[in-house]
Amino acid sequence: MSRGPRRTSRRPAPERRRALRLQAEVLRGIRRFFQRRGYLEVTTPLLSAGADPALHIESLRTRLRLPGGETGEWYLPTSPELYMKRLVAEGFESIYQICPFFRDGELGPLH
C-alpha cells in the first residue's frame, strides 16, 4: 500500500540557513550605509505596460489576469534605471533601490 510521496524535513539545511542570514546581514549593511548618508530607499514598479527601451536587452513578457478579469501582457523590468531617472528629475536626488531585475537574453556585447 502506497503512503504517498515521502515528506522531507521542513527545516532548512544549515548551509541554507547560513546563506539566508548572511544575505540579510549584507542587505542590512547596505541599507545602513545609504541611510547614514541621507539617502532615501525607493521602490519602482515590477510590472510595466511597455518593454524596456534598451535595444540590446530583451525584456521578459508575462500575461496576467487582472483583478477585474482583464488579461494583459506585461513586462518585467530589465533595470530600474528609467524609473530612478524619473525620480531624480522630480527632485529626489539622493535615492537608492535594492531590487530584482529580469533579462531574457542580451542581444549584444554591451552587458
Side-chain angles (χ1 to χ4, degrees):
M1 179 155 79
S2 175
R3 294 182 180 177
R6 184 175 173 196
R7 294 199 174 209
T8 59
S9 171
R10 298 257 183 219
R11 296 189 58 168
E15 303 82 34
R16 178 77 170 140
R17 186 179 301 275
R18 277 193 296 275
L20 286 175
R21 288 187 189 281
L22 177 61
Q23 178 184 6
E25 190 176 317
V26 167
L27 289 173
R28 255 192 314 276
I30 291 169
R31 285 186 170 105
R32 194 175 14 228
F33 174 88
F34 283 109
Q35 287 168 352
R36 285 182 179 161
R37 287 159 177 78
Y39 282 74
L40 177 67
E41 183 172 8
V42 299
T43 57
T44 57
L46 272 180
L47 292 174
S48 65
D52 192 310
L55 299 177
H56 59 281
I57 301 172
E58 198 170 322
S59 296
L60 281 173
R61 283 182 292 209
T62 186
R63 286 186 100 30
L64 291 177
R65 184 176 307 278
L66 302 175
E70 182 181 341
T71 302
E73 191 169 84
W74 296 84
Y75 294 85
L76 296 166
T78 58
S79 165
E81 181 180 3
L82 222 51
Y83 293 109
M84 298 289 280
K85 284 181 177 179
R86 287 179 186 168
L87 289 170
V88 169
E90 291 174 20
F92 295 97
E93 293 179 9
S94 299
I95 58 174
Y96 75 99
Q97 179 176 10
I98 300 172
C99 64
F101 61 90
F102 309 88
R103 294 186 177 187
D104 193 22
E106 296 171 11
L107 305 176
L110 298 176
H111 282 79

